[in-house]
Structure formats: C-alpha cells, structure tokens
Amino acid sequence: MKSEDIRRILIIGSGTMGRQIAMQFALYGCDVVIYDIMEGMLENARENFGKLARRMAAHQGISAEQALSAVQRITTTTIPEEAAHSIDLVSESVPEDPVLKGKVLALFHSLCPPRTIFTTNTSTLLPSTFAEATGRPDKFLALHFHDLRVNTVVDVMPHAGTDQEVITIIQSFVQRMGLIGILIKNESSGYVFNAMLRAFLESAQTLAANNISSIEDIDRSWMGVMHTPMGPFGIMDSIGIDTMWKGTAYWAKQTGDAQLQKNAGFLKQFVDRGELGLKTHKGFYLYPNPAFAQPGFIAGQGKTG
C-alpha cells in the first residue's frame, strides 16, 4: 500500500475528536465512515457536521464549497460489518481504557481487509500496551490529534513492533491530509505537546487539591503573567474534566503516586456531580460565558461554576 491508496477511512467513536478527525480527512478528499454503538451520538454528530466543517475549513483556508462537499463524504453506522467494508485506514477514538481499545480493534481486525492500517488517537496510553490485542500489531501505531478546529499538529507514534513501511506510509499520508506530523521516535506517554501540557495541568491540580490557592487565582496567576486567554482550569474545562480524571486516575494507579491519587480525587468530585466542563456547560466555570473570559477577571472579579 502507498499513501495515495488510503481513500476510505473508518473512525471508531463519534465524540468530539472522532468528529474532528473525520472532518479533516473528508476535507482533504477521503470518504469517511464513522462507527459508534450509540445511534444518538451519531445523530448528534450529523447535526453538527456543517458547523464543524465551516469552522475547520475557514481555519485551514479551505473554501465553503469544499467544506460542503466534505460533509457529503461522511457516513455513519452502528453496524460493524458495514463500517469495516473496504476500509484502508482505521482511526480509533474510544475511552482511555487499554482493554476496551484492544477489544474494539480486535473486532475490526476480524472485519477489515488485511491491508488496513490501524491507528489509535489515545491521549495517555502507549500503543504497545494493546498492540497485540489488535490482531495486527505490525500495522498498528498511534496517530494522535489535537483540537483540529484551531491547529493541525498530529503525533505519529509507532511501537517497537510497527512495520517501518507502515510508519513511512502514515507520515506521507499525514502530509497529504494537510497536517503537521510530529514523529515520536520512542514511545512516550503524552507524545510531545501533551507531555508538556500534562505536567502543567498536573501542577495546577496539585495546587488546588492541596488548597494552596483557589481555582480562580491559579488561573489568574497564569493568565496574568503569560497573557493567555485562559488558565489551566479553563483548559481542563475545554478538554473535559472526565477525560482529565480518567487520565490522572490511570497514572495514579500505575505509579501509586500519592499526590496523583489526591489529584484524581479532587477531579472526581466534579465528575460525580456531572460537571464535566464546557460540554455540560458547567465545570470549574459556567458556560457559555465563563468568568475567566470576562474583562475584570484578572483584576480579581469573576466566579467559578
């Protein structure tokens, strides 16, 4: 297979990132099918494709006509056999559980053609932890995206068993899709940007969990010094507090680190209340008009959610 042969792509998972990844590939001419076990999630995705296409296209200098065409190239299904038909590349975006990811990819290994390359969009896990479970470890690697509405950086992270030819194909494909590929030479949790971001967000969690300072003041400190539009807790709201909790809890369990366990507990109280951030309109802040976006916030005016 060559990069140019990748024309039909399967996205597993129709959440925020699954939708963005699907749209990126569709904007650059690929036919995309999104698979999810929940029809309600797919319906919600279909309702938002138009808006997402326009925003991503505008950011990347793509015409409105191309954006409209991209939407037409995306289909959805809850039927695995239908989703796997004639697929060249799989991009998986299911919850951060290596056992779940392995099971889902194993299912599609039995359904997809032998040529199909499998990729995972995992944010925190190493592909080697579930590579064997996919059934095709030599054709498997991490292809990790950030927020495609505002940037086009993508991490390419193979594991020790990934075929070099597959790595080369994906690097070429990434370029063809209008993306900035960052090759990770050795497996590393968090890739490059996320590794730096995780340390930053972890330090903010620690400050709040240990009652060193308030959520508002931690954000205010960062925003005031660095002149950024939001601080670490605003960022965590946009990522999703549930996503942050899952990642923190996973590494707390893996390492036995007492502070990470405390940080996971701090995040879980928000998750238990269903306050997950931007997507539920309430997290560390209230949305759509969070306090940190108000003119007087840095000066000491503003409240959390």
Side-chain angles (χ1 to χ4, degrees):
M1 180 187 286
K2 298 180 181 179
S3 165
E4 295 76 15
D5 296 326
I6 300 177
R7 293 293 177 184
R8 182 169 171 81
I9 300 173
L10 167 61
I11 308 297
I12 303 175
S14 61
T16 300
M17 287 311 303
R19 299 174 195 185
Q20 291 183 20
I21 297 167
M23 190 58 65
Q24 182 70 27
F25 293 152
L27 284 169
Y28 281 80
C30 292
D31 293 322
V32 182
V33 56
I34 303 179
Y35 166 81
D36 202 299
I37 60 172
M38 299 176 64
E39 176 58 36
M41 286 289 291
L42 293 173
E43 182 178 353
N44 184 265
R46 289 192 295 268
E47 291 173 353
N48 288 277
F49 281 156
K51 180 180 178 181
L52 179 60
R54 289 190 296 273
R55 179 169 180 180
M56 288 176 59
H59 175 71
Q60 297 182 41
I62 296 171
S63 71
E65 291 75 15
Q66 286 175 291
L68 180 61
S69 296
V71 174
Q72 305 306 314
R73 284 192 285 272
I74 301 175
T75 58
T76 64
T77 183
T78 58
I79 303 171
E81 293 79 4
E82 183 179 302
H85 180 67
S86 297
I87 292 297
D88 303 309
L89 177 74
V90 170
S91 174
E92 166 270 311
S93 289
V94 301
E96 293 290 89
D97 178 339
V99 175
L100 174 61
K101 287 178 181 290
K103 286 181 177 178
V104 171
L105 289 172
L107 168 64
F108 282 96
H109 168 63
S110 69
L111 299 172
C112 288
R115 71 175 185 277
T116 310
I117 296 173
F118 280 20
T119 69
T120 177
N121 184 47
T122 180
S123 296
T124 60
L125 304 174
L126 300 179
S128 60
T129 60
F130 54 101
E132 290 299 326
T134 68
R136 54 184 78 192
D138 58 323
K139 289 186 172 67
F140 174 66
L141 72 164
L143 186 61
H144 172 255
F145 297 80
H146 300 269
D147 189 340
L148 284 160
R149 296 169 300 178
V150 294
N151 76 79
T152 54
V153 171
V154 61
D155 300 296
V156 179
M157 186 166 75
H159 62 96
T162 307
D163 190 301
Q164 181 58 52
E165 183 181 0
V166 170
I167 300 171
T168 301
I169 291 170
I170 292 299
Q171 286 183 285
S172 178
F173 173 72
V174 160
Q175 188 174 24
R176 193 182 116 212
M177 292 295 104
L179 298 163
I180 301 168
I182 307 297
L183 179 63
I184 314 301
K185 297 179 180 180
N186 291 294
E187 279 189 304
S188 178
S189 177
Y191 309 94
V192 174
F193 176 80
N194 276 18
M196 296 185 287
L197 179 65
R198 186 172 69 194
F200 167 54
L201 299 181
E202 183 182 310
S203 66
Q205 294 167 18
T206 297
L207 289 168
N210 291 335
N211 200 31
I212 304 300
S213 195
S214 69
I215 288 169
E216 301 100 316
D217 277 347
I218 295 168
D219 274 1
R220 190 175 289 120
S221 174
W222 185 264
M223 293 167 67
V225 173
M226 297 302 294
H227 303 285
T228 58
M230 67 177 69
F233 287 97
I235 293 172
M236 284 187 269
D237 265 354
S238 66
I239 294 172
I241 299 175
D242 54 336
T243 300
M244 293 303 309
W245 167 68
K246 287 173 185 175
T248 302
Y250 174 82
W251 287 109
K253 183 177 180 180
Q254 291 293 109
T255 63
D257 186 279
Q259 185 60 58
L260 282 181
Q261 292 171 355
K262 190 171 184 179
N263 291 356
F266 165 75
L267 295 170
K268 194 170 189 300
Q269 50 186 329
F270 291 87
V271 174
D272 288 345
R273 294 196 297 266
E275 298 170 3
L276 309 182
L278 179 60
K279 59 188 171 185
T280 59
H281 305 290
K282 185 176 184 181
F284 299 118
Y285 297 92
L286 292 172
Y287 296 86
N289 300 303
F292 65 76
Q294 305 308 310
F297 180 74
I298 294 177
Q301 303 167 20
K303 299 178 180 179
T304 58

